[in-house]
Amino acid sequence: MKKSKWIIDSAHSSVQFRITYLVIASIRGSFNTFNGFAEWGEHFKEASIQFNIDANSINTNVEERDKHLKSADFFDTAQYPTISFKSTSFKKIKGEKFRLEGHLTMHGHTKLVELQVEYNGKIIDPQGQEKISFEVAGKVSRWEFDMKYNSVLEANSLLIDEDIDISIQLLLNKEQ
């Protein structure tokens, strides 16, 4: 089967996250530097996806918090500068919705994760470049990646939640 290759258009894509703070609030952030590609046959058959994030590009709009997130308490970017994902399966669920499974490597640990994907469509831009768009969402436990920094608040609540919500908007360019 002939596969087409698609390269992430990082200028028109985004990688965002959200985590609960103090039980009642959310902290949102993004990673500003990432790259990757996907290959698949017709109707996304035999799809494979690879994605890399520069952990040092984390941005929560608070410089001191970003420095703390880069420290050994969390990402330890000096030792683990890259977050990577490599797919193991991509299956249609219903309509334009898919389930993406793969190995996520973060903070020196690799875990199998499941993400939800929604296909947004394909178009040819004014320069004749074929483009395709997806939204990816999921949740990962930071504890599974040995990022256990925390404090216990009153009533045994945690300062920072275990789970991180992930939201990725992807625009990909078909390789010529």
Side-chain angles (χ1 to χ4, degrees):
M1 171 189 313
K2 184 174 177 5
K3 290 186 175 185
S4 58
K5 185 171 183 178
W6 299 79
I7 308 299
I8 294 174
D9 178 349
S10 58
H12 298 101
S13 299
S14 64
V15 177
Q16 301 169 328
F17 63 88
R18 184 192 70 78
I19 193 162
T20 302
Y21 173 71
L22 290 175
V23 183
I24 59 170
S26 291
I27 296 193
R28 296 179 187 278
S30 62
F31 290 95
N32 296 330
T33 306
F34 51 88
N35 62 62
F37 67 91
E39 295 180 308
W40 53 71
E42 192 172 339
H43 303 295
F44 307 117
K45 298 282 189 212
E46 297 180 20
S48 63
I49 295 117
Q50 292 188 32
F51 197 80
N52 294 301
I53 298 170
D54 176 358
N56 279 299
S57 72
I58 195 165
N59 181 1
T60 64
N61 293 318
V62 177
E63 189 174 336
E64 284 303 310
R65 179 171 48 220
D66 294 347
K67 281 173 52 178
H68 189 202
L69 290 170
K70 292 175 190 179
S71 77
D73 284 342
F74 292 97
F75 289 100
D76 194 1
T77 61
Q79 189 168 348
Y80 308 107
T82 303
I83 300 166
S84 63
F85 177 84
K86 186 172 184 179
S87 68
T88 56
S89 73
F90 187 74
K91 296 180 182 171
K92 186 170 190 154
I93 302 301
K94 182 180 179 184
E96 304 299 341
K97 298 188 184 298
F98 296 81
R99 180 176 59 243
L100 173 62
E101 293 179 346
H103 293 109
L104 178 64
T105 301
M106 181 168 60
H107 194 241
H109 298 272
T110 301
K111 301 291 178 185
L112 187 64
V113 298
E114 181 179 305
L115 303 167
Q116 295 72 47
V117 178
E118 186 164 353
Y119 170 60
N120 294 328
K122 187 167 35 172
I123 194 165
I124 296 177
D125 72 9
Q127 289 75 38
Q129 175 71 54
E130 196 171 351
K131 297 181 178 279
I132 196 165
S133 175
F134 297 93
E135 289 184 33
V136 181
K139 188 177 294 243
V140 297
S141 163
R142 65 187 178 89
W143 294 349
E144 288 184 1
F145 295 91
D146 200 29
M147 289 191 278
K148 297 180 179 174
Y149 173 86
N150 226 334
S151 296
V152 178
L153 305 173
E154 61 185 58
N156 291 325
S157 299
L158 294 176
L159 177 69
I160 307 165
D161 195 27
E162 170 187 355
D163 293 325
I164 305 165
D165 294 318
I166 300 168
S167 175
I168 303 171
Q169 286 71 45
L170 292 175
L171 185 67
L172 297 101
N173 298 319
K174 187 172 186 180
E175 189 174 74
Q176 304 291 348

